Amino acid sequence: MREKDVRVLPIRNGTVIDHITAGQALNVLKILGITDKSNSVVSVAMNVPSSVIGTKDIVKVEDRELIEDEVNRISLISPKATINIIRGYEVVMKHRVELPARVDGVVKCVNPNCISNTSEPVVSKFLVSGKPVMLRCAYCDYVISENIAAHLI
Amino acid sequence: MPGLRHIISMKELSREDIERILEKARELERFARKERSNMLEGSVLATLFYEPSTRTRLSFETAMKRLGGEVIDMVSKEVSSAAKGESLADTIRVVDKYADVIVLRHPKEGSARMAAEFSSVPIINAGDGAGHHPTQTRLDLYTIMRVSCLEGLNIALAGDLKYGRTVHSLAYALSLFGANITLVSPKQLRIPEFIKSDLRARGIGIRETESLESVMNEVDVLYVTRIQRERFPDHEEYMKVAGVYRITGKLLDGVRDNLIIMHPLPRIDEIAPDVDRTKHAKYFEQAFYGVPVRMALLSMLLEAE
Ligand SMILES: [Zn+2]
């Protein structure tokens, strides 16, 4: 039996996010909006040895098939992550996350004088380019290129 | 002009876009002098200034009125009380029902872009925080076009190159015309590294120096900016650099015959009054050229409707 099968049990239906950059699993949950108030059954494995990327994190969300928009945001903090959609214990779809062209309401602009950090009725908006991942505020042009996880909303 | 719906930043424009605006300004310049026009009769411009900038506001008002249009404005007191209670987004959605075009100046960066998202009429950015002030750059370019030559220019930018966004915006625009740029500033106020590498990537010549005297005789344009006191932690630091680039009549010995001196105004003491009388002084003309350039923008935005 392979090691990872022991650590995280297979799920019947839902989404498995694999090859998450080690240490980023909790931020992945944050990006997906999964909090202590969510009802989903979620399992998290961190610092799992991986033949592909050294060590990795894994997140399994049961009974929820994540849509592309949601999962692509994960690429901001974990560009090598893969998404597996599971139905009846079978992987029915497997793909890599892709950098979205734009992310809205996910990252807070670091410029304290930016209009997106006021009570105006707008959400933050960033244009995304890679690699390495670079976010440019669509309002004030400020660039975030390091430690993106620290600026998650 | 296709796609010219708002005037937000300079970076969004190609060289062709800029040239069309400058040509239009040249065509309309006569209406900024003696001739009268009713080209924009029946159109209303609203000026929304959340921080005072009397010159910029007057320049837009003049441009609109000389083309036969009307101007309404929210005086700064009303604006500031609105600022406390009402969002900018709401104000824009009220004023866009009254006016055909809105000129906005607001202390928050990115406010003009946000306003454009909410507005049903064109927005012209007249300064957003430390952000863009694109109409200043256009009138700077127009001045150079009128009294010098935009192509292959040798220009020195002197003063506060670190915080002065006007200068950054001008440098980007000049790079489209293949300028050779000399950056003159004290060490503390050098242009940010990322801007320098952006400019170099555009294939233009850049050099940096602290000494104005050493470049005075080699340039066609000397662009002088204010060094602002509020940029310095204390008075002593400010005084160290404040007076270093004072242009005087004496300093003009041996300069190129065609040298022009520009300044966005108001000046403090960067340029001595005895320079005003020389043929090199173009800063008051530069202020005047703000009117035809703003005429061009208003007419292009309103005709596009
Ligand atoms: Zn921003």
Side-chain angles (χ1 to χ4, degrees), chain A residues 108-117 124-126 136-142, chain B residues 109-110:
Chain A
K108 184 179 170 349
C109 183
V110 293
N111 175 7
N113 197 38
C114 176
I115 193 77
S116 71
N117 288 323
S124 76
K125 196 190 292 178
F126 285 87
R136 183 184 291 271
C137 176
Y139 292 106
C140 77
D141 279 336
Y142 260 60
Chain B
E109 287 170 58

Side-chain angles (χ1 to χ4, degrees), chain B:
Chain B
M1 175 178 301
L4 189 69
R5 173 116 168 76
H6 304 283
I7 307 289
I8 306 295
S9 91
M10 206 59 206
K11 275 194 206 160
E12 288 147 12
L13 295 183
S14 67
R15 175 174 168 151
E16 288 69 34
D17 292 336
I18 294 170
E19 282 173 341
R20 284 195 57 183
I21 293 165
L22 300 186
E23 274 164 30
K24 188 75 176 175
R26 187 70 189 93
E27 185 190 319
L28 298 178
E29 193 185 304
R30 64 184 200 274
F31 300 125
R33 298 181 191 274
K34 285 263 159 56
E35 278 185 62
R36 292 292 160 260
S37 166
N38 56 3
M39 176 187 276
L40 298 183
E41 195 177 349
S43 293
V44 176
L45 161 72
T47 57
L48 285 184
F49 277 58
Y50 286 77
E51 51 185 21
S53 179
T54 309
R55 276 160 212 276
T56 307
R57 191 168 53 79
L58 287 180
S59 175
F60 272 109
E61 286 191 20
T62 305
M64 190 67 182
K65 288 183 171 168
R66 290 220 189 272
L67 292 179
E70 301 289 327
V71 179
I72 56 173
D73 72 316
M74 250 171 136
V75 297
S76 54
K77 223 176 178 178
E78 290 165 358
V79 172
S80 65
S81 70
K84 282 173 203 137
E86 191 181 50
S87 68
L88 174 63
D90 280 7
T91 305
I92 292 291
R93 284 177 288 183
V94 172
V95 175
D96 74 355
K97 310 295 183 295
Y98 306 153
D100 303 297
V101 55
I102 296 172
V103 174
L104 175 70
R105 188 180 181 96
H106 191 280
K108 291 286 175 186
E109 287 170 58
S111 52
R113 282 207 182 112
M114 189 205 75
E117 289 179 355
F118 286 93
S119 179
S120 61
V121 301
I123 298 284
I124 299 177
N125 185 5
D128 54 350
H132 307 277
H133 189 6
T135 62
Q136 176 71 45
T137 304
R138 286 181 180 78
L139 79 88
D140 291 343
L141 292 174
Y142 187 67
T143 305
I144 295 170
M145 182 191 98
R146 289 287 280 117
V147 297
S148 183
C149 174
L150 270 174
E151 198 69 45
L153 188 73
N154 282 302
I155 184 170
L157 305 172
D160 174 3
L161 306 185
K162 184 174 180 186
Y163 301 103
R165 294 275 186 109
T166 306
V167 174
H168 303 166
S169 179
L170 179 60
Y172 276 122
L174 285 170
S175 72
L176 298 173
F177 295 88
N180 287 303
I181 302 180
T182 305
L183 303 164
V184 187
S185 70
K187 271 201 189 74
Q188 306 93 307
L189 295 175
R190 278 196 186 152
I191 205 160
E193 205 55 46
F194 73 94
I195 295 181
K196 220 169 24 183
S197 60
D198 269 8
L199 291 171
R200 287 214 170 96
R202 290 175 171 217
I204 58 163
I206 297 265
R207 60 176 175 157
E208 277 185 297
T209 174
E210 286 177 51
S211 155
L212 186 58
E213 285 82 354
S214 68
V215 301
M216 282 292 283
N217 301 349
E218 301 166 15
V219 293
D220 309 307
V221 178
L222 171 60
Y223 195 103
V224 187
T225 63
R226 254 186 331 279
I227 295 182
Q228 287 172 312
R229 176 166 309 196
E230 53 279 19
R231 302 298 185 198
F232 291 86
D234 55 60
H235 189 68
E236 203 176 320
E237 282 295 306
Y238 168 71
M239 290 311 287
K240 271 187 212 160
V241 295
V244 289
Y245 300 130
R246 189 172 152 81
I247 317 291
T248 59
K250 198 161 152 266
L251 207 62
L252 296 175
D253 285 345
V255 299
R256 285 186 182 177
D257 200 45
N258 65 348
L259 170 76
I260 64 167
I261 300 171
M262 295 172 67
H263 189 295
L265 300 181
R267 63 177 154 176
I268 313 290
D269 56 2
E270 302 86 22
I271 301 174
D274 67 341
V275 176
D276 300 355
R277 287 187 300 271
T278 70
K279 63 180 177 187
H280 306 293
K282 295 294 178 191
Y283 25 93
F284 293 114
E285 229 171 307
Q286 184 185 356
F288 163 72
Y289 287 136
V291 177
V293 166
R294 287 169 176 129
M295 282 178 164
L297 296 173
L298 289 168
S299 74
M300 290 167 100
L301 287 170
L302 290 169
E303 278 169 8
E305 284 294 277

